[in-house]
Amino acid sequence: MEGMGNDKSSCSSSSTVPGPCLSKYVDPSSEESHRYYLARRNALEMLRDRGYEVSLEDINLSLQDFRTVYGERPDVDRLRISAHHRSDSSNKVKVVFFGTGKVKVNTIRSVAAEILSQETITGLILVLQNQVTDKALKAIELFTFKVEIFQITDLLVNLTKHVLSLRHRVLTDGEKKALLKQFNIEEKQLPRISKKDAVVRYYGLEKGQVVKVSYRGELTESYVAYRCVW
């Protein structure tokens, strides 16, 4: 079945400790503000790529201007982001940054209570710098909205912009149905991609969604494959 073969490149989960390769992205003269700057900018780009309304002015904010606004040691509460989805204004996501301490259950509960007392959200993205306790994770599971957890190191770079990254495009429900009809197959027959895959996490995809993966190399023909999130 043409175009449905094994992926020529795989992305592992990005929830790992940063390696030396990330050091070039951080300004040693003020590492703390630079890390927050990169993570916030890439979080904004991630929301934009998911279809949320995000200000280009915020995305294009320079490091110098970021430090002018937030300081050399930013208050994490001021870094929060709220965004509505372009196609559904009732779909609202909140991004919350945490400091270097371990994230405990009381911290999670207080953050959730504070947010929910001010606005209604359908999704919450937590950007951490330390471990989250088991009790805190259990508390998160009780929330009625989707919660995603990223380490700040996951957001120091935008993986979709990497020169070696394959191009991924999320299919609409209609495009997915057309694809299955074209190849006369069922969803379960599509090659799979894990929910832990870095690209899947970047786009916030759910089980059953399908991505089109394409690549064109300098010495190779164009290559297209489809993956179903599993």
Side-chain angles (χ1 to χ4, degrees):
M1 182 161 48
E2 184 179 355
M4 306 293 289
N6 291 330
D7 198 346
K8 294 185 178 180
S9 174
S10 61
C11 294
S12 61
S13 173
S14 56
S15 299
T16 57
V17 176
C21 62
L22 292 180
S23 61
K24 66 180 180 179
Y25 292 99
V26 179
D27 179 0
S29 64
S30 185
E31 180 176 334
E32 185 173 9
S33 63
H34 198 184
R35 282 162 62 92
Y36 281 126
Y37 165 73
L38 292 171
R40 192 174 191 275
R41 184 190 66 188
N42 288 320
L44 287 165
E45 291 183 345
M46 181 174 71
L47 293 181
R48 177 201 59 194
D49 293 343
R50 292 184 181 192
Y52 288 90
E53 291 283 358
V54 176
S55 167
L56 284 177
E57 183 178 355
D58 281 345
I59 292 179
N60 295 328
L61 189 71
S62 68
L63 175 58
Q64 181 178 350
D65 289 340
F66 177 87
R67 285 172 172 163
T68 298
V69 175
Y70 299 104
E72 295 287 346
R73 295 182 178 276
D75 177 352
V76 291
D77 290 343
R78 295 185 61 212
L79 299 178
R80 294 180 180 182
I81 304 168
S82 294
H84 293 274
H85 201 277
R86 287 192 291 269
S87 63
D88 181 5
S89 61
S90 66
N91 182 347
K92 184 178 183 180
V93 67
K94 188 89 171 181
V95 181
V96 176
F97 292 81
F98 288 81
T100 57
K102 182 175 289 188
V103 182
K104 300 181 179 180
V105 62
N106 289 339
T107 305
I108 292 295
R109 286 174 177 169
S110 62
V111 167
E114 178 188 352
I115 292 173
L116 295 178
S117 68
Q118 301 173 356
E119 56 190 323
T120 301
I121 61 173
T122 55
L124 178 63
I125 296 175
L126 308 179
V127 182
L128 315 180
Q129 297 191 66
N130 205 327
Q131 295 179 337
V132 55
T133 66
D134 291 338
K135 287 185 178 180
L137 288 174
K138 290 180 180 179
I140 290 173
E141 292 175 356
L142 298 176
F143 292 163
T144 57
F145 45 81
K146 180 179 179 179
V147 181
E148 300 171 69
I149 299 177
F150 288 84
Q151 288 292 326
I152 195 169
T153 50
D154 297 335
L155 296 172
L156 292 184
V157 295
N158 185 335
L159 61 90
T160 65
K161 290 184 174 181
H162 194 282
V163 65
L164 297 179
S165 177
L166 304 181
R167 181 169 177 254
H168 292 73
R169 185 176 72 81
V170 183
L171 299 190
T172 64
D173 289 340
E175 289 173 328
K176 174 184 172 180
K177 290 179 181 178
L179 175 71
L180 297 179
K181 182 178 180 180
Q182 176 185 351
F183 290 105
N184 192 27
I185 58 174
E186 298 179 2
E187 177 184 299
K188 63 183 180 181
Q189 293 176 281
L190 283 169
R192 299 177 180 180
I193 183 170
S194 171
K195 284 191 69 174
K196 295 182 180 180
D197 185 276
V199 171
V200 172
R201 296 183 70 236
Y202 179 87
Y203 286 107
L205 303 182
E206 296 293 342
K207 181 178 178 180
Q209 288 189 271
V210 176
V211 291
K212 178 181 180 180
V213 186
S214 56
Y215 171 77
R216 179 184 293 275
E218 294 182 1
L219 302 177
T220 62
E221 297 181 357
S222 60
Y223 173 83
V224 174
Y226 296 89
R227 298 285 180 268
C228 184
V229 179
W230 203 261

